Amino acid sequence: MNVCVLVRTLVLGLSLVLTVCVARSPYQAVLQHSRIRGRQQGPNVCAMQQLKGTDKKYFTNCKQWYHRKICGKPTVITYECCPGYERIPGEKGCPAALPLVNIYNTLGAVGASTTQMYSDRAKLREEIEGPGSFTFFAPSNEAWAALPTEILDALVSNVNIELLNALHYHMVNRRLTSEELRHGSSFASMYQDFHVHIHHYSNGIVTVNCARLIKPDQHATNGIVHVVDRVITAISNNVHTLIDIDDDLETLRTAMAAAGLTAMLENEGQYTIFAPTNEAFEKIPQETLNRILGDPVALRDLLNYHILKHMQCAESIVSGTPMETLQGTMLEVGCDGDQMTLNGKAIITKKDQLGTNGVIHYINELLIPDSAKVLLELAEGSSVATATRLFVEAGLTPHLTGSEALTMLAPLDDAFKGNDFVRQRDTMTPDRRKLMTNHLLKEQLSSKSLYHGQELETLGGLKLRVFVYRNNLCIENACIAAHDKTGRYATMFTVDKVLTPPMGTVMDVLKADDRFSLLVGAVQTAGMTELLNQQGALTFFAPTNDAFNALSPTELNRLMRNRQELAGVLRYHLGEGMLVSGGVGSHTRLQPLQGEKLELGMRNYTVYVNKVPVADADLMATNGVVHGVNSIIKPLPPKVEREQADGPAAPLRSAASSRVRARWTTDHQGPFSTTHTVNTGPGAGSGPDSDDLFQKVVRSRSSRTMNQSQCSQQYTVYLQSFISRPCVRMFSSLKLRVGEVLLPGDEFSFDTADRLSLTEAVKAEKVVCGPGLRRSGDRLLVCKSGVLRHKEPNMFWMDSQQRRYVPAKGESIIGIVTVKSGDVFKVDFGGSEQASLSYLAFEGATKRNRPNVQVGDLVFAQFVLANKDMEPELVCVDSSGRANGMGVFGGGGLLFSVSLGLVRRFEPPQTEILTDLQQLFPCELVVGMNGRLWVKSSTVQQTLVISNLLQSCDTMTAQQRQQLFRRVAQGAL
């Protein structure tokens, strides 16, 4: 029984501890973060962020710490004693706790001496020095100084009664710590029980009547003091009354009554109202205003768009934050310095007009939500200005401004670049008018309700098809490029292309375009006309005349005479299903009518199929889509996966080795019927067929006395030596040429003429090819001029003066951060494209603890992904998650570039240059394999000398370099 009681007691105690930990207030969480950031300065030190040029200070949270900005303005870090502690001369940090005194004396110790003085004048001193337990929201000295003179004079006159009442309104007759100041709570003050209203926001800011607590939790013997940044006044009216008595809100008052929102604003709640002034309503065109005021649904949406579901004081905003309105959509509430902003605009003229059930902020511009707009208004001010102009020129304005249920497909402005619409903007032909009419669908739709194969009818009577892909949602060739804009009666889909309605079958599309005249003849010769005319869904990568003309006359004639082979070629260009360019993502595959799957990808807004670029995409047909290509598409060579280093070796087979074949014709061997063969058995690519080799072993003299098992073992030994010997010869040939100048076209071949005996043991050598060398079958080709270099044990590369860097997995580089986009940084490393660097790719980085990386920073990083078909990817940690020297560079230092050949001479064991340099000038040096060096020495002069020396080494011999270093050491700078 006692054991059970003990267990239950422990569980209850643990539950209470967990509850306390979870229930920690946002302010306490931010205070704890400030303590962590300030602990290097000593015990009980808090890091504060102070707005430059002002006295405003904030306890720092994780996001603000890394951004170093509040309300878009830069901050500086200051260190102060955390609440309740003070410094001791000669000691680090704030080791001493403040002595507990009464509230009156505490006011003088926490920077509220003006409140202390007015407490004396109002005869309040005796009360706050005596017994009791009070909470005093004490205005700071700056808060009293900010009061208008006439208000301050009125407070201190009238035998100090008004001043005493004002101070009593700042007091609550009980002790309330920051933990007890919960969001939305209110407490009766000591002035006629008028309530003070508390808001405790998720970012750690606490307000009382919208005044921010700047020094909370200053304990006293008879209570607690919270220093606030303004003098607060008693509240007796609700927000409806505030609107009702202000003549500047007369139009808003009338609109509220017409929409039936008066009762809601009189009830209890926590509303934030962005109240448009009369001036704001006058800025709206009278026609638009009359339409909205005369439409109860649009008017209610308009007004609800100005009301937030919760109370938001101006002091609680430190950065742009999306907030939900009563209308259901989001409104971005932010700040820019001292100004409060809405959707990025500083349109708030008066802040924090507090009522008992909410707060009002005055704005001088009316906010019209999409749900109160007609189509023409949805399109205004967006990135579809060209399309809007064309709709108007086509005479479609009545549809765009009426109450008809429609969906508009609005192409982006970039979709019209180079288009006839722009070149001949003054001519609206009937065909162009019909095309614009077909961009309007007959019903109001949502993109979320569309499905694959759905047909949509346009105002022009045309049927458009919907295609759903993994990465896109398309209507014919135009894919949706932004979120829907849902208006009062209609919806706008922003699309990436001008719509190309289908005009006939695939065969009709080819016949109508002179670029495909040779293809049309080939289709007819191959007997495929009916296939391209019948109903279905095909994707045709159609070779243009240029593609056929690129063939030699012999090849072309041979192809045209062989109907079966020609049909095989064309069927390899025909894919099953409809695939428009917008549906192509990375590593998209499409099954052709004959042959292996086609590999598609998108690079620089161009579609590639089997590495052949599409010259003209998305020629729409009723039974498919045509993409023009200027080359005949051929199968890609099969991909041979390398054996895993830690995996088991593939067993040798005594039977015929398996082969992987990729072919796109039948058994005919013509100019297009190339067959790629990759042997996956043990003797692949090393000599004669393994079946013949096995039979030779069986017929050999030494095998006549062996059984089948012994023969197979002997075959394995022979085969291993057969494979290994050419590798040894290759390795030896390369080592003999190290140091020689080689030119593109030079090659090293596997010599299979020399065989080993069945009893000779051979150790196979693995050759690692670096930059400038490429293996092609049994040959090693030199593809870049330079000097052949070797690094133990088995790496070879071509050393040249090249400066263009090609990324390689595992190499470390120095990059420059150019863009911050969401969770990813773009880094320039000197290649043909930029690399991506995730904010999580730093040591210790989490979603809450982000690294402080800014545009322009230098980073030392390593490639984890380097593929010509994919965007390079960098990380600043090693395989164990440690930085290991990688990350953002500190201040100072100099960045400069050298050739890639010189950089490789800095790699161990070839470090003579760096050894000589360190003896000459001690310095910090970071070497990037992309040809960038960063150096920092004790003085700027030495740093410049080191950079000049290293750049000079690029064209010097070892002897010349040593002579130069000796001269510098002797003082000849």
Side-chain angles (χ1 to χ4, degrees):
M1 179 64 71
N2 292 336
V3 174
C4 293
V5 171
L6 178 60
V7 171
R8 291 172 62 185
T9 304
L10 289 174
V11 171
L12 179 59
L14 180 59
S15 300
L16 290 174
V17 171
L18 291 176
T19 302
V20 170
C21 292
V22 172
R24 187 175 61 169
S25 69
Y27 163 73
Q28 290 294 334
V30 172
L31 178 63
Q32 180 63 21
H33 184 269
S34 292
R35 281 179 175 273
I36 293 172
R37 295 300 180 184
R39 61 189 173 189
Q40 292 184 351
Q41 308 298 319
N44 305 314
V45 175
C46 286
M48 306 285 289
Q49 286 191 266
Q50 181 176 354
L51 282 171
K52 287 185 178 179
T54 71
D55 294 326
K56 295 185 71 172
K57 296 180 181 179
Y58 296 81
F59 291 108
T60 178
N61 60 29
C62 186
K63 182 177 180 181
Q64 293 166 358
W65 176 264
Y66 284 112
H67 287 184
R68 293 291 199 273
K69 287 185 178 181
I70 292 177
C71 287
K73 302 301 180 182
T75 62
V76 293
I77 303 298
T78 63
Y79 296 96
E80 300 181 2
C81 292
C82 296
Y85 296 91
E86 65 178 352
R87 297 185 184 275
I88 295 179
E91 294 195 24
K92 186 177 182 180
C94 305
L98 282 171
L100 276 182
V101 293
N102 58 49
I103 287 180
Y104 179 81
N105 291 325
T106 302
L107 291 174
V110 297
S113 56
T114 304
T115 302
Q116 187 184 45
M117 178 189 69
Y118 285 140
S119 298
D120 259 334
R121 185 176 297 183
K123 312 300 183 187
L124 185 62
R125 176 174 180 174
E126 183 178 350
E127 184 177 356
I128 59 179
E129 280 185 336
S133 182
F134 309 106
T135 297
F136 203 146
F137 297 102
S140 65
N141 296 341
E142 294 78 13
W144 287 107
L147 275 181
T149 305
E150 59 274 14
I151 295 178
L152 190 58
D153 290 342
L155 285 176
V156 299
S157 63
N158 197 16
V159 200
N160 298 328
I161 295 299
E162 293 296 334
L163 181 59
L164 179 62
N165 291 340
L167 292 175
H168 268 154
Y169 184 67
H170 287 75
M171 296 176 63
V172 176
N173 196 14
R174 54 179 286 198
R175 182 191 299 264
L176 296 170
T177 65
S178 61
E179 289 284 338
E180 298 169 286
L181 299 178
R182 294 183 174 86
H183 189 69
S185 60
S186 62
F187 302 95
S189 72
M190 295 177 63
Y191 170 60
Q192 299 181 6
D193 287 337
F194 279 104
H195 279 66
V196 292
H197 301 270
I198 306 297
H199 289 89
H200 195 144
Y201 296 96
S202 60
N203 58 7
I205 290 177
V206 185
T207 64
V208 51
N209 286 18
C210 286
R212 181 169 68 93
L213 275 63
I214 55 178
K215 291 183 179 180
D217 294 337
Q218 306 294 329
H219 290 271
T221 56
N222 58 343
I224 192 169
V225 175
H226 304 291
V227 181
V228 296
D229 66 351
R230 73 177 73 164
V231 179
I232 62 176
T233 56
I235 301 169
S236 57
N237 295 325
N238 57 41
V239 291
H240 175 261
T241 304
L242 295 177
I243 294 174
D244 202 35
I245 62 178
D246 195 334
D247 292 337
D248 200 25
L249 302 178
E250 181 180 357
T251 308
L252 175 63
R253 181 166 62 248
T254 304
M256 288 282 189
L261 298 178
T262 302
M264 180 190 73
L265 299 182
E266 290 176 340
N267 296 332
E268 291 185 2
Q270 293 287 316
Y271 302 111
T272 300
I273 302 175
F274 298 102
T277 61
N278 297 337
E279 177 191 358
F281 281 98
E282 291 170 0
K283 292 179 180 180
I284 301 299
Q286 193 62 41
E287 182 181 354
T288 301
L289 185 60
N290 291 339
R291 178 182 61 79
I292 294 176
L293 293 177
D295 184 345
V297 176
L299 179 60
R300 193 174 184 89
D301 280 350
L302 172 74
L303 296 176
N304 282 336
Y305 188 56
H306 290 75
I307 305 174
L308 300 181
K309 289 184 175 181
H310 53 271
M311 186 166 162
Q312 204 73 38
C313 296
E315 283 296 326
S316 68
I317 306 296
V318 294
S319 61
T321 307
M323 299 181 183
E324 188 175 2
T325 65
L326 290 183
Q327 186 255 347
T329 55
M330 306 303 288
L331 190 65
E332 184 178 305
V333 183
C335 53
D336 184 10
D338 291 333
Q339 292 184 312
M340 196 173 176
T341 63
L342 290 180
N343 290 341
K345 296 181 179 179
I347 59 176
I348 296 178
T349 57
K350 191 188 296 185
K351 301 179 289 188
D352 293 340
Q353 304 303 302
L354 198 62
T356 56
N357 60 345
V359 64
I360 299 176
H361 307 292
Y362 288 45
I363 59 176
N364 61 9
E365 185 176 308
L366 193 64
L367 305 172
I368 304 179
D370 288 346
S371 60
K373 294 180 180 179
V374 295
L375 266 178
L376 189 60
E377 293 166 349
L378 287 176
E380 289 175 350
S382 61
S383 54
V384 294
T386 304
T388 304
R389 174 178 60 80
L390 293 172
F391 279 121
V392 173
E393 291 178 1
L396 299 173
T397 304
H399 295 289
L400 305 185
T401 57
S403 58
E404 192 175 356
L406 297 172
T407 298
M408 178 170 72
L409 306 180
L412 291 166
D413 292 337
D414 290 343
F416 291 95
K417 289 182 178 179
N419 196 290
D420 290 340
F421 281 107
V422 178
R423 288 194 295 267
Q424 302 177 14
R425 56 179 299 174
D426 296 330
T427 305
M428 180 54 66
T429 63
D431 287 342
R432 295 195 179 100
R433 185 175 293 108
K434 182 178 179 181
L435 179 59
M436 297 310 298
T437 304
N438 285 328
H439 280 74
L440 295 175
L441 307 178
K442 279 189 175 181
E443 54 183 317
Q444 186 176 13
L445 301 168
S446 167
S447 61
K448 294 181 180 179
S449 66
L450 300 180
Y451 56 90
H452 190 75
Q454 183 179 3
E455 288 193 345
L456 309 174
E457 187 176 358
T458 70
L459 282 184
L462 199 64
K463 296 285 187 179
L464 303 180
R465 297 159 295 182
V466 177
F467 305 115
V468 179
Y469 303 104
R470 287 189 178 274
N471 62 328
N472 244 329
L473 175 62
C474 304
I475 300 174
E476 294 297 337
N477 64 304
C479 298
I480 295 177
H483 293 294
D484 303 357
K485 283 195 170 187
T486 304
R488 175 67 180 91
Y489 306 104
T491 301
M492 184 178 80
F493 291 166
T494 303
V495 294
D496 61 351
K497 296 181 181 68
V498 178
L499 191 68
T500 305
M503 306 299 291
T505 64
V506 170
M507 196 65 188
D508 294 333
V509 171
L510 298 178
K511 287 181 178 180
D513 195 326
D514 292 339
R515 293 175 299 173
F516 301 113
S517 58
L518 293 178
L519 176 61
V520 170
V523 169
Q524 293 171 344
T525 301
M528 296 174 58
T529 304
E530 183 178 354
L531 174 64
L532 300 186
N533 277 325
Q534 67 186 15
Q535 290 185 352
L538 297 172
T539 300
F540 196 1
F541 296 98
T544 62
N545 293 346
D546 291 339
F548 285 101
N549 292 332
L551 302 175
S552 66
T554 304
E555 289 178 329
L556 183 59
N557 292 334
R558 180 178 178 180
L559 177 65
M560 290 301 182
R561 288 197 302 268
N562 192 329
R563 179 174 177 177
Q564 189 173 0
E565 182 180 343
L566 178 60
V569 171
L570 296 179
R571 292 175 73 87
Y572 187 66
H573 287 70
L574 275 166
E576 299 174 354
M578 290 278 292
L579 182 61
V580 299
S581 60
V584 177
S586 59
H587 304 293
T588 302
R589 305 184 75 194
L590 182 66
Q591 179 64 52
L593 297 185
Q594 181 172 322
E596 298 295 328
K597 288 186 177 181
L598 299 170
E599 301 282 347
L600 289 89
M602 178 75 74
R603 192 178 183 88
N604 296 328
Y605 305 103
T606 300
V607 177
Y608 285 79
V609 51
N610 282 13
K611 300 185 178 181
V612 174
V614 172
D616 192 1
D618 299 334
L619 305 176
M620 305 305 295
T622 55
N623 61 341
V625 59
V626 176
H627 305 292
V629 292
N630 289 331
S631 300
I632 300 295
I633 299 173
K634 298 180 181 180
L636 293 174
K639 299 176 181 178
V640 182
E641 296 186 1
R642 297 179 181 177
E643 180 180 294
Q644 297 294 326
D646 56 351
L652 292 170
R653 302 180 185 178
S654 59
S657 61
S658 61
R659 293 176 176 83
V660 179
R661 297 184 182 269
R663 62 173 69 210
W664 47 280
T665 68
T666 55
D667 295 330
H668 300 273
Q669 299 298 320
F672 304 98
S673 56
T674 303
T675 300
H676 302 280
T677 303
V678 178
N679 294 338
T680 59
S686 302
D689 190 283
S690 58
D691 295 341
D692 297 337
L693 182 59
F694 182 73
Q695 294 302 322
K696 289 180 180 179
V697 173
V698 171
R699 292 193 299 268
S700 65
R701 181 177 303 175
S702 60
S703 66
R704 292 175 184 175
T705 59
M706 300 179 186
N707 57 29
Q708 183 72 13
S709 174
Q710 293 171 328
C711 189
S712 296
Q713 293 175 0
Q714 184 75 348
Y715 160 74
T716 301
V717 173
Y718 183 82
L719 189 57
Q720 287 176 334
S721 65
F722 177 82
I723 298 170
S724 302
R725 181 65 176 182
C727 295
V728 174
R729 294 179 61 82
M730 170 71 76
F731 186 80
S732 302
S733 300
L734 284 168
K735 292 199 70 172
L736 289 174
R737 302 288 297 275
V738 170
E740 294 185 13
V741 176
L742 302 180
L743 299 176
D746 291 346
E747 64 179 50
F748 299 86
S749 300
F750 288 105
D751 186 359
T752 59
D754 190 4
R755 297 282 192 267
L756 295 177
S757 68
L758 295 181
T759 58
E760 182 179 353
V762 178
K763 180 181 178 182
E765 296 286 352
K766 179 180 178 182
V767 177
V768 178
C769 301
L773 298 174
R774 180 171 61 87
R775 179 175 178 177
S776 176
D778 292 344
R779 299 177 300 163
L780 192 65
L781 303 179
V782 177
C783 51
K784 184 171 64 175
S785 59
V787 179
L788 180 64
R789 301 293 185 188
H790 173 233
K791 179 182 177 182
E792 294 293 344
N794 55 359
M795 182 176 179
F796 296 86
W797 76 93
M798 297 303 300
D799 185 5
S800 67
Q801 301 300 313
Q802 177 181 341
R803 291 183 180 269
R804 181 178 177 273
Y805 175 69
V806 178
K809 182 179 179 181
E811 288 192 342
S812 300
I813 57 96
I814 299 176
I816 304 172
V817 178
T818 59
V819 177
K820 291 176 66 175
S821 177
D823 296 340
V824 177
F825 306 105
K826 294 294 185 182
V827 178
D828 173 28
F829 59 89
S832 59
E833 60 180 331
Q834 295 186 344
S836 62
L837 174 63
S838 171
Y839 76 94
L840 292 174
F842 292 82
E843 182 179 1
T846 64
K847 290 186 177 180
R848 296 178 61 87
N849 183 29
R850 298 194 177 203
N852 183 22
V853 182
Q854 303 296 329
V855 173
D857 284 351
L858 298 179
V859 293
F860 187 54
Q862 186 179 62
F863 281 110
V864 292
L865 180 64
N867 187 304
K868 63 180 181 180
D869 297 319
M870 300 179 69
E871 183 182 54
E873 185 175 341
L874 294 166
V875 294
C876 288
V877 291
D878 57 18
S879 58
S880 61
R882 300 294 183 183
N884 197 17
M886 291 182 282
V888 181
F889 284 77
L894 177 66
L895 178 71
F896 58 96
S897 298
V898 296
S899 71
L900 302 183
L902 179 62
V903 165
R904 294 196 177 274
R905 288 161 63 186
F906 293 152
E907 289 189 290
Q910 305 180 64
T911 56
E912 298 91 346
I913 298 178
L914 300 184
T915 303
D916 295 344
L917 186 65
Q918 289 289 350
Q919 294 175 354
L920 192 62
F921 294 119
C923 64
E924 294 180 60
L925 181 65
V926 180
V927 179
M929 298 308 296
N930 57 336
R932 290 177 178 171
L933 303 181
W934 179 87
V935 64
K936 182 179 180 181
S937 188
S938 57
T939 66
V940 175
Q941 183 185 23
Q942 284 187 5
T943 301
L944 293 173
V945 170
I946 292 171
S947 67
N948 289 332
L949 286 175
L950 291 176
Q951 288 174 313
S952 300
C953 291
D954 218 343
T955 55
M956 288 185 174
T957 63
Q959 184 178 4
Q960 291 172 331
R961 184 190 73 247
Q962 291 170 358
Q963 291 177 354
L964 176 63
F965 280 26
R966 280 197 297 268
R967 291 182 57 196
V968 173
Q970 294 168 1
L973 294 178

